[in-house]
Amino acid sequence: MQWFKVVFAGLLIVFGVNLSKAQVKVQNTGKLSGVLVNRKTQQNATGLLVTITPGNEKMISDSNGSFRFTNLLPGAYSIKVSGLGIQDKLLTNVIVTTGNENILTIELEPSVNVLNTVTVTGRKNTAKATTLESPLSIQRLTSEDIKANPGGNFDISKVIQSLPGVGGGAAGGTFRNDIIIRGGAPSENVFYLDGIEVPIINHFSTQGSGGGPQGILNVSFIQDVKLSTSAFDARYDNALSSVFQFRQKNGNPNQLQGNFRMSGTEVAATLDGPISKRTTFLASVRRSYLELLFQALDLPIRPNYWDYQFKTTTKINDKTTLTTIGLAAIDDFKLVAPREATPEKLFAINSNPLINQWNYTLGLSLKKLIQDGYWNLSLSRNTLDNQADRYEDNEKPSETTRTFQIRSNETENKFRFDVTKNIKNISLSYGVVAQYVQFDNAFYQLFRPALKDSAGNTLQNAVTLNTNTGVNFLRYGGFVQLGTRLLNDRLAISSGLRADANSFSASSQNPLDQLSPRISLSYTLSNTLNFSASYGTYYRLPSYTQLAYNNNGFTNPGKYIQSNHYVAGFELLPSSTTRFTFEGFYKGYKNYPVSMLDKISLANKGIEFGAIGNEPIQQDGKGRAYGFEFFAQQKLTEKFFGVFSYTLYWSEFSGVDQKLKPASWDNRHLVSATAGYKLPKNWELGIKFRYQGAAPYTPYNLEQSRLNYLTLGSGIFDYDKVNTLRLKAFHSGDIRLDKKWNYKKTTFDFYIDIQNFYASKSTGSPQYTFKRKDDNSGFQSNNGKPVQLNGSNAIPYFLENAEGTFIPTVGFIIEF
């Protein structure tokens, strides 16, 4: 490794000297443009003053709300928008390069009165994230926040784990993006891309849950991300823990441009530009080469994925805009024999399923401006095809040794229509949603094999889960949301009501059974301090795997899962670039699905590969999650920016015994700190620290594990003692260093991203196996004979599940 470090450092110095000299010779420039939009009416905002610094260049937005600055020196800029009738808007850390023109859509808030009847137009709110509809539990990330995040590797699902209340799975060092929001399960989140629901945002997604090891979304498309962890707008259905709204950029209307990105794990290409005078596009493709990397490292796992993304925007006329989006992924996960066998590598081969999965979302949205508002109509279709297999020996697959199979396809065809109106001081929105669900599911699992002792006596009868069903049904719902400001605009009130139902026979056909009221209030205590509180009742339909399960005539219930939220907190905005929030929250759950076989809540599942819900379920589980969170954010000022968050929470769910027990992600403490510094000559340094408290885990049932290990490839947990033990707390640090070179029409961005730079160990629950021979050719026995299928003469052994890998990634981005 030392020679590599020396050579690499030398190359970096040479590149830095040569490219810096080339950059000094010519003063190359870039462009920055955008459109100003009134957030409430979606009308273009004309005649407003746009000022950028450094340079203090000014421009008035034209009749289309557009502005465009040219001949800008590359670097980080701030944009200030001011004028009559709006609250001043300040955007920081807006990057200008010579390679790509940065194109923004800037939404502006109407001016309001606070304290002494003074109209607020002068306070610039770059740090402010809340709105009238959602006055608390809101966080925002820009594309630059995502790109520059140390250890994020351009993965949005990883970057959001820096925000308050957001965890990344049970054990802190997990490689999966199982997004845990305020103690809720990974299945409780919903995702919207430009207003179109996108059920899957991760590769190798767990069906019925949503998590996975790698995000799908291309950060080059994203302008910003809005995360709501409570006080959800009534237009969003099926959310129990969070709503993610990803807002994409529009393509460059002036010329074709693009970028090419290559890192240690993947390669991606993006293009955007005009198709016609009224239409722009963005398109990208990405491919991983983890398969080659793991082969070189002699690891038995071979993950491989592709993903694709596109967007078109057509301005039909001054009042009507048509947008189309597409997102797709192809995932393949294989296992091969390593060149050098170790107990850990051999365990991985038979404890993981083989996965072949693909999914897509296609959608179109038609937005039309009307008097004092707009309406939006969207049509979309999303499909997940999930195939997984596991055998007693995954290296020698055979139907006679099959222990697990999934052949599942789920499709949703969705229609949404909503209207937003602003009548004097009242904001009103209402709408309907309908979707036609097509679900086919063939599932087989050998839950327990038939076993006998050496005398032929039955030790255990076989237990199998086997379902092969197809269901088609209709989901439907509607909502209304009202908001206003009172007491000279010091008090903001927003309330909403939605109702949802479906035509599935085992579920609820009456929308009144799922009435979902919500109300939020925000009071301005001073020009910098707000107090807010909210209450809401939210419902979610169980997974399709649960709804369609049918084994020998047994069918599962399909009640909607219910969660009641109580939240209150303060928001302090001491300056235009600084924000502090402090919130307390309580979430109570009803009708939570419980596994009748394992006798635990399904909230404690869904953080493994494959699918959840393919088993007998009863729906009488309870749950609760409560705690408080603190968040501090400093937007870029001069050279520095940073965020800090701390969350203390408890998360508990009940099983068959109705007793509340810690959830698998009940870490209690979540700490995250991220900071960045702009160095001279287009260098940028970022550092991140994460801490997650001790996660609970369940011990093994030693007798059952010995009996079943050879057939199932893993131990059997003792769910009578669910989550009674705790792992060690996890912490790690990441560092990222970026350097940009700007040429006449291209930009070269070189970066080094080091995850876990001090090699902190991430501890997972120990892995049950049998002790192997010294040459790893087979298992040892306590009598010198071959190990019996029932494990009676095997020697139980626990593999330490702790890794402290230092992961450096070197990559580059070329903009052209």
Side-chain angles (χ1 to χ4, degrees), residues 329-347:
I330 302 172
D331 303 326
D332 183 54
F333 185 88
K334 296 182 295 187
L335 297 157
V336 298
R339 295 187 298 273
E340 182 180 343
T342 66
E344 291 78 10
K345 292 177 183 178
L346 295 174
F347 176 84

Side-chain angles (χ1 to χ4, degrees), residues 507-642:
S507 191
S508 175
Q509 292 82 46
N510 186 356
L512 297 180
D513 292 338
Q514 285 79 230
L515 276 180
S516 176
R518 71 267 331 256
I519 186 169
S520 58
L521 302 96
S522 181
Y523 187 76
T524 301
L525 299 171
S526 72
N527 276 337
T528 59
L529 182 64
N530 300 316
F531 171 77
S532 301
S534 72
Y535 163 79
T537 297
Y538 309 104
Y539 290 92
R540 181 179 180 88
L541 189 68
S543 68
Y544 297 143
T545 48
Q546 173 186 326
L547 292 176
Y549 182 82
N550 187 327
N551 190 12
N552 296 322
F554 176 88
T555 57
N556 283 330
K559 298 178 186 177
Y560 280 77
I561 307 167
Q562 180 181 339
S563 181
N564 297 320
H565 289 206
Y566 305 84
V567 185
F570 295 89
E571 179 186 48
L572 177 66
L573 299 165
S575 74
S576 62
T577 56
T578 307
R579 179 176 182 240
F580 298 96
T581 65
F582 180 85
E583 293 185 7
F585 60 89
Y586 179 92
K587 301 192 293 187
Y589 294 90
K590 296 179 181 178
N591 303 332
Y592 222 99
V594 174
S595 167
M596 296 174 65
L597 292 172
D598 294 326
K599 305 186 187 313
I600 64 169
S601 172
L602 254 62
N604 279 325
K605 298 189 175 186
I607 53 175
E608 63 278 339
F609 293 108
I612 63 168
N614 284 304
E615 58 180 307
I617 298 293
Q618 62 187 55
Q619 263 195 273
D620 56 358
K622 301 177 296 182
R624 65 182 182 183
Y626 56 95
F628 68 84
E629 59 189 33
F630 171 76
F631 179 66
Q633 181 178 36
Q634 177 62 55
K635 289 285 189 177
L636 180 67
T637 54
E638 296 297 331
K639 303 292 184 181
F640 173 80
F641 58 93

